[in-house]
Amino acid sequence: MTQRMEKVNKRARQVLGEAIQGLKDPRIGFVTVTAVHISPDLRHARVTVSVLGDADAQAVSMAGIESAKAHLRGELGHKLVLKFLPELNFELDQSDAKAERIEMLLKEIHGKVYTDAPTAPDGDASVDG
């Protein structure tokens, strides 16, 4: 990715984050724009958002964001001077759920390693050190 596209993505993330915070839709909860990836031809933008709450709250917030898509695209057009105004596609950021799953698996493996470790004749778990 070129430096210019990195700057455009960063600025778009800032603009969309501010615009979403300014929305008056009661369906939209605490939403953070985590990333924006605009295609090199400037026609499409994938906007990744993190929504605080359970799955139902996330779905409701995403519905509110989808309904405000035209307004958000207009805000992006006012604050960013680009040859084309990209179509916005919003995605829910699943990195928190993935991180929790990985942490759970690591804890499970960690516990399994110690419970399956061979024991020394005195009954202590052998530890190489």
Side-chain angles (χ1 to χ4, degrees):
M1 182 180 307
T2 65
Q3 266 188 335
R4 181 178 188 280
M5 284 307 298
E6 287 178 17
K7 287 180 182 178
V8 169
N9 287 336
K10 183 179 178 182
R11 181 67 179 130
R13 184 175 62 83
Q14 292 171 342
V15 168
L16 289 171
E18 292 169 3
I20 289 173
Q21 294 301 317
L23 293 174
K24 303 290 186 223
D25 191 333
R27 296 177 291 177
I28 300 173
F30 187 74
V31 176
T32 304
V33 178
T34 56
V36 175
H37 300 285
I38 299 177
S39 64
D41 66 357
L42 305 175
R43 302 280 184 173
H44 304 280
R46 190 176 75 231
V47 182
T48 308
V49 295
S50 175
V51 180
L52 193 64
D54 62 1
D56 292 336
Q58 290 174 347
V60 170
S61 289
M62 289 300 289
I65 291 170
E66 284 293 326
S67 71
K69 190 185 286 191
H71 172 74
L72 294 171
R73 188 171 181 231
E75 286 293 312
L76 189 63
H78 288 295
K79 304 245 171 96
L80 227 67
V81 179
L82 298 171
K83 186 174 183 178
F84 301 106
L85 189 56
E87 282 293 323
L88 302 177
N89 297 310
F90 290 94
E91 297 176 354
L92 191 58
D93 186 359
Q94 299 293 338
S95 62
D96 288 341
K98 288 179 184 177
E100 286 179 29
R101 172 91 171 122
I102 290 170
E103 186 176 339
M104 182 195 68
L105 290 172
L106 288 173
K107 284 181 180 178
E108 184 179 310
I109 290 170
H110 184 70
K112 195 175 228 181
V113 167
Y114 287 115
T115 58
D116 293 345
T119 56
D122 61 355
D124 292 334
S126 64
V127 178
D128 293 330

